[in-house]
Amino acid sequence: MEKFCVFCGEAPQEKNKEHVLPAWLIEMTGDPGHEAHFGIDFTKEPLKARKFAFDSLVFPACTTCNTRFAELEGRVKPIFELLLSYKPLSSDQLILLLDWLDKVRVGLWLGYLYLDKNWMGIEPNFHIQSRIGQLDRMVSILRVENAGVGLTFAGPHFKSYQLSPTCFGLGVNGLWLVNASGVGLCSQRLGFPYLEPLRFNEAHLLEASPHTGSERIMNPVERIATLPRTVSLYQPVFRAFRERENSEKYLGGDWIKQRTADAANGYGKLFVQKSDSVQIYPDNASTDWAPAELWNKKEVSYRLGEHIFDRIRRNYENSIGLAPTQDERRHLRREGVMARMLDLAMLSNASEVEGNKKSPKRRARRRR
Ligand SMILES: [Zn+2]
């Protein structure tokens, strides 16, 4: 696999290495030299569980790209200190956290393509820089009792994630952030203008038809089974509408203007969904983000990985119908079946949760 920068996708200039899980986060969560598991290595015979230290999870980057994004890291570190002590956070801080989660979600995707020597032959059509803050996004927050110190993540080791890097979970000292992003994830049901995906064109760009917003907020924001005892934060992103000639038609109304966090970036305000209500997150620092009830450790190992896997699979399967030709759809379906078989085999043999927390072996589960 040719080396490319995880930020810009070009051949790395003045080579550097990017910690996709930053050193400051690794330090907050225990000994940086501690070994952790990183999925199954399918490139070796016999198959082996990958094991190395968290601070060795580094991938190629340009020096300038790395330096530019170090600024984001510097701003997110104090936010994590507040998160981990369950202190009030402002909507601006949480929006920055969503930017950072975009970065990590995409960084881990590209990183795992490297680790797996890109065995599925995927051609990444975006990288960190071109994906941050582009599409609707969300994070569900949950808190685990007596979790202790540790860094864990779930999702990126699934082969299905290589096909659809749309959802992952990050566990930091008992705080779990389950992050997802995609076209039309929440805009429509939050009353914002939204894009209805039509198809991918020959250049693999998504063609979508624009719709005006209903200016009505629906509850729940997503029509999927949500995780219990979580607080979910949603942010509609209408950046694509700003670039349209007739953007006024979609963005001109007072309703949208009052619910805009950052017009230049096309960021809607943050919405918080919890205990059966959906509301705008307060502008000033608040503990509205913090879940009141706890999860136990066992639930995390059998429920969270499955939830993340289901989200990834659904997103992938929904995208197949958008491929331009029947041949391509057939190819995507075949790849999806293969990835899913490997993932289910892995789920039945090992914990679906990565990192330095050991979880009990998990029973195989048949899916239809
Ligand atoms: Zn670069």
Side-chain angles (χ1 to χ4, degrees), residues 5 7-9 61-62 65:
C5 164
F7 294 106
C8 69
C62 311
C65 286

Side-chain angles (χ1 to χ4, degrees), residues 16-317:
N16 202 304
K17 293 221 177 279
E18 158 69 1
H19 280 87
V20 284
L21 291 172
W24 59 261
L25 186 65
I26 296 167
E27 278 160 25
M28 270 182 197
T29 50
D31 174 9
H34 186 90
E35 289 207 326
H37 289 277
F38 297 95
I40 309 284
D41 189 349
F42 283 86
T43 65
K44 294 232 169 70
E45 280 282 359
L47 302 186
K48 262 179 69 183
R50 260 190 227 110
K51 203 177 168 203
F52 50 83
F54 256 114
D55 64 357
S56 305
L57 194 66
V58 289
F59 302 104
C62 311
T63 300
T64 46
C65 286
N66 212 339
T67 308
R68 191 159 24 140
F69 281 89
E71 195 245 348
L72 172 62
E73 295 293 344
R75 291 166 73 198
V76 171
K77 184 183 172 194
I79 295 174
F80 260 90
E81 282 159 0
L82 295 169
L83 277 169
L84 294 176
S85 48
Y86 299 91
K87 296 257 170 65
L89 284 162
S90 69
S91 58
D92 285 346
Q93 288 172 312
L94 290 164
I95 289 170
L96 206 59
L97 176 71
L98 287 171
D99 282 346
W100 183 83
L101 287 167
D102 277 340
K103 170 182 183 274
V104 176
R105 197 184 63 253
V106 175
L108 285 171
W109 173 55
L110 298 172
Y112 267 75
L113 293 186
Y114 271 116
L115 285 181
D116 276 346
K117 303 193 170 65
N118 196 9
W119 70 294
M120 284 202 271
I122 286 166
E123 280 178 46
N125 54 358
F126 55 84
H127 299 82
I128 292 172
Q129 186 177 285
S130 55
R131 188 60 180 77
I132 287 189
Q134 296 295 316
L135 303 175
D136 287 1
R137 54 215 182 144
M138 63 85 67
V139 59
S140 287
I141 302 171
L142 62 98
R143 193 176 170 180
V144 185
E145 62 181 347
N146 305 322
V149 168
L151 181 60
T152 319
F153 59 91
H157 65 301
F158 290 129
K159 304 303 169 193
S160 301
Y161 191 85
Q162 303 196 349
L163 300 172
S164 181
T166 47
C167 178
F168 89 117
L170 184 68
V172 183
N173 301 352
L175 178 83
W176 271 91
L177 305 172
V178 180
N179 164 246
S181 173
V183 176
L185 177 87
C186 60
S187 285
Q188 182 178 3
R189 288 179 63 86
L190 287 173
F192 280 69
Y194 64 95
L195 293 171
E196 181 191 357
L198 299 175
R199 63 174 204 124
F200 285 100
N201 63 22
E202 304 298 326
H204 291 276
L205 294 173
L206 183 67
E207 290 175 4
S209 74
H211 294 269
T212 49
S214 65
E215 304 190 350
R216 271 184 21 235
I217 293 165
M218 285 185 241
N219 178 13
V221 179
E222 288 181 280
R223 278 182 294 191
I224 60 165
T226 48
L227 292 166
R229 286 160 281 133
T230 58
V231 174
S232 294
L233 304 172
Y234 286 92
Q235 188 181 32
V237 176
F238 50 82
R239 189 181 284 234
F241 284 90
R242 290 182 42 80
E243 287 147 20
R244 301 185 72 87
E245 265 177 29
N246 56 351
S247 64
E248 269 299 287
K249 176 182 167 193
Y250 300 97
L251 305 175
D254 286 341
W255 193 93
I256 296 286
K257 286 186 176 143
Q258 286 155 7
R259 287 161 186 78
T260 294
D262 176 347
N265 276 320
Y267 284 180
K269 284 200 171 185
L270 204 60
F271 289 77
V272 55
Q273 174 180 307
K274 63 174 176 181
S275 38
D276 211 30
S277 78
V278 181
Q279 275 159 5
I280 292 179
Y281 191 88
D283 287 335
N284 296 326
S286 152
T287 52
D288 263 17
W289 66 270
E293 290 178 89
L294 303 178
W295 279 48
N296 65 50
K297 282 192 208 171
K298 242 196 207 147
E299 275 177 296
V300 173
S301 58
Y302 73 79
R303 194 161 194 172
L304 203 56
E306 198 156 295
H307 173 83
I308 290 167
F309 183 68
D310 286 345
R311 274 192 99 116
I312 294 169
R313 292 299 310 178
R314 194 174 38 245
N315 292 337
Y316 181 66
E317 274 152 28

